[in-house]
Every structure is written in structure tokens, then in C-alpha cells.
Amino acid sequence: MTTNLSVRSYAGEIDLEAIAHLINTCEAVNRLDEGISISELQQEFNEPSLDVARDIRLWEDAEGKLIGFAQLSIPEPGEVIDGALWFRVHPNARGGDLEAAAIAWGEVRMREVSTIPGAPVKLRSSARAEDGDRISLLTSSGFKPDRYFFRMARSLSEPIPEPKLPQGFTLIQFPGEQDAEAWVEMFNQSFIDHWNHHDLTLDKFKYDLAKPDYRNDLDLIAVAGDGTFVAFCYCEISVDECDRTGRNQGWIACLGTRRGFRKIGLGRAMLLAGLHRLKAAGVETAILGVDAENISGALRLYESVGFHNIRNSISYVKDV
């Protein structure tokens, strides 16, 4: 059912309810744990890097019902210009031309943002390992598997070792927006040598600080004797996600150690500190995502403190 379709750009908050309904309708069929609330969707669309007029597309049927949605996340350009395409098609409209139209739109949009002559331009999309239909669609559309990721979980009812910082380092909570530049610099230096890294911007970090779910007591930093921010563990508890899923869980959203301070126990200490903070906040299960091929040994670290894999996902890429 893909005839008589119309396509348009995002019209503002008036579209939020229909988009959330479409995503949740797909979730009821796919069971991929990718539901969303209207407030979560609104936060996502308010991201400073998102051009809502150009990076969102909606497809409607002849009756004006929303049956397709696509969004591109385009990070700051580097040596490679790439964007992540996320799209959903109503279960009753799958198998026609709509999925191909969403991918084609993403390719055209990525060519538009390519302003560096000769720079490679890539379109990325992902699929859960159990989502055979999405994998078949991506591969038949010219995408190739590029990277593998795990979602891991740990019960916080199990004992958590006490964190032990190396001598000369202090654990603090993020002092506040006046230190935003130092936090961003630490983050970028921690991930600069990781796969597909794109620098975090100061605007994006300040936007995250203003989110309703941000909690300063879950934003932990290790500080060297000279005051340098050297490692961090940022945890997050999404009230909407817990309400929607019925699960009492929190995220180790981001864990990192800057170059020059690795292999001395900072990462482990920060991770354990984050787990203690989540448990103190009343969370039952800690969740995190990890690059299965992470060169820093993150997977081994997570397994060593009791995390186990609960889901696999695959990043796909296509040259455009």
C-alpha cells in the first residue's frame, strides 16, 4: 500500500502526536524496545544540531494518515561526511516503495550537506540483529555491515565493589555550566581515537544540561591534581522510558578516560562510582551500550563488573 502518497517536511509540534503514534505502532509489532513518548520526541527534535525543516520527512496516505517517518542525524563534519538515517514505516505499508523512498531521501540530503570537495559522503543506518526484515532491506539497498554493538545490563541488587581512584585523583560532581568547556574538551579528548568519532559541541552539551532528566549527582568526574578533568561517568534515568516500559532502569550513558590517563584504573573506578549512584537513586538495573570492537577494552571492563549482553545491533553504511 504505497500508492497516492504525499511527502512533506515537519510542520512543528502539531506533528508530534502522529509521529509518536506511528513509532509506537511499529514498536507494538517489532518489539525492538524503540517506543517513544511525545515529550521524548519533542526533546529530540529540539537538539541544536537538528535542522527540523530539512532533516525530517513525513509520508502520508491518501487520507492524510502518517504512515512513514524518517530522520537524519548529521554530526559535525570531519574527514568523512556522514549521517545516521532512522526511519519507520507503518506495518500495513511495508514491502512497497516507501522504505526505498526514505533511503533515497537520506541519500539526497547527505549530498546536499557535502560542502567539502572530494570528501567521502556516507549514509548510515542500523538494525537489531533479530530484525531480519530491516537487515534484508538495508543490504538490498546497498548498505554493508560496518560495526557491531552490544546492549548490556547488570542487576544492581548484586554487590558492587567500592570504587578506588588512583592516588592523586579526586571524584567530584560536575561543578556546573561554568565548567562546560572543560567537560566538552575532556569528552572529545577521551573519544578522539574511537570509531566514527565526531566532536561534541558546546551547544549540544549545554542543551543536554537543560534536559528535565539531567541530574548533577549522576554526572561524575575524576580530577587530576592540577585540576584537569581526566575521566567521567555520566549516568541517566529517563522517567519517560521507565514509565513506558515498566522497567526500573538507569543508563551508564557515557564513560570515558582521556588519552594519557588510561590503563591506571580510572575507567573502572568511575564505572563503579556510577553504579553506586544509580543504586542510591533507587534503580534496579543498569544498562549501557558498547562498541563490540572498542579498542580501549571497554567490553572487558563491563564484563568484569558483572554486565552481560542482552541485545546485538549492527551499524550499516553506504557510500553516497
Side-chain angles (χ1 to χ4, degrees):
M1 188 183 68
T2 55
T3 58
N4 300 318
L5 294 184
S6 60
V7 58
R8 64 176 176 85
S9 55
Y10 177 64
E13 293 189 358
I14 192 173
D15 283 329
L16 288 173
E17 184 175 358
I19 296 172
H21 178 71
L22 172 62
I23 293 171
N24 290 325
T25 298
C26 293
E27 169 62 16
V29 173
N30 298 339
R31 300 292 184 179
L32 296 174
D33 198 20
E34 293 181 346
I36 201 164
S37 68
I38 291 176
S39 61
E40 288 173 309
L41 194 62
Q42 186 174 38
Q43 284 182 36
E44 187 173 323
F45 287 178
N46 285 336
E47 291 275 0
S49 62
L50 181 64
D51 185 340
V52 293
R54 302 174 69 187
D55 295 340
I56 295 173
R57 280 296 178 272
L58 294 85
W59 287 263
E60 297 171 332
D61 64 15
E63 286 75 44
K65 178 183 177 181
L66 182 67
I67 60 170
F69 166 79
Q71 178 182 341
L72 263 174
S73 298
I74 306 174
E76 290 293 306
E79 293 182 1
V80 175
I81 300 170
D82 58 1
L85 176 66
W86 195 91
F87 60 99
R88 285 293 175 264
V89 173
H90 193 283
N92 294 338
R94 294 174 184 171
D97 300 328
L98 186 45
E99 292 97 334
I103 292 171
W105 166 76
E107 294 176 5
V108 170
R109 177 71 184 114
M110 287 310 303
R111 294 189 192 105
E112 289 176 353
V113 301
S114 176
T115 58
I116 305 174
V121 180
K122 298 179 183 292
L123 182 65
R124 299 185 182 276
S125 196
S126 62
R128 296 283 169 83
E130 66 270 28
D131 190 354
D133 290 342
R134 178 55 59 97
I135 290 173
S136 296
L137 171 66
L138 292 176
T139 54
S140 65
S141 300
F143 287 83
K144 296 180 180 180
D146 192 35
R147 204 76 169 185
Y148 296 83
F149 294 86
F150 298 154
R151 178 178 291 187
M152 308 185 79
R154 185 202 195 276
S155 171
L156 298 183
S157 64
E158 299 294 327
I160 305 170
E162 289 298 320
K164 297 179 181 179
L165 284 173
Q167 187 173 359
F169 298 92
T170 305
L171 177 69
I172 66 168
Q173 295 176 188
F174 177 60
E177 189 172 323
Q178 70 274 11
D179 288 295
E181 287 190 23
W183 200 101
V184 169
E185 192 263 346
M186 171 185 61
F187 177 93
N188 289 332
Q189 286 299 310
S190 297
F191 289 100
I192 192 171
D193 49 5
H194 283 51
W195 177 81
N196 198 36
H197 168 72
H198 293 272
D199 275 355
L200 175 68
T201 65
L202 188 59
D203 285 346
K204 172 63 167 64
F205 179 66
K206 289 182 176 180
Y207 173 77
D208 290 341
L209 290 179
K211 286 182 178 179
D213 286 333
Y214 174 78
R215 290 177 51 165
N216 180 254
D217 62 318
L218 300 180
D219 192 350
L220 307 176
I221 301 169
V223 183
D226 63 359
T228 302
F229 290 1
V230 298
F232 62 100
C233 181
Y234 170 60
C235 308
E236 190 173 77
I237 303 169
S238 171
V239 175
D240 280 349
E241 180 182 60
C242 291
D243 288 345
R244 185 178 66 250
T245 64
R247 298 193 293 264
N248 181 7
Q249 63 186 27
W251 285 82
I252 301 291
C254 203
L255 177 79
T257 303
R258 69 189 301 154
R259 290 187 298 181
F261 294 89
R262 297 172 184 166
K263 307 299 182 182
I264 59 174
L266 283 168
R268 180 182 177 86
M270 297 306 295
L271 174 60
L272 293 174
L275 292 176
H276 278 284
R277 292 296 176 98
L278 287 174
K279 183 172 183 177
V283 169
E284 295 175 355
T285 304
I287 306 291
L288 57 81
V290 62
D291 177 352
E293 302 170 61
N294 185 294
I295 61 173
S296 69
L299 179 58
R300 293 191 301 274
L301 169 62
Y302 298 142
E303 290 174 336
S304 74
V305 300
F307 280 90
H308 63 278
N309 185 25
I310 59 172
R311 182 171 298 147
N312 299 339
S313 61
I314 308 166
S315 172
Y316 287 82
V317 67
K318 179 179 183 179
D319 294 328
V320 298

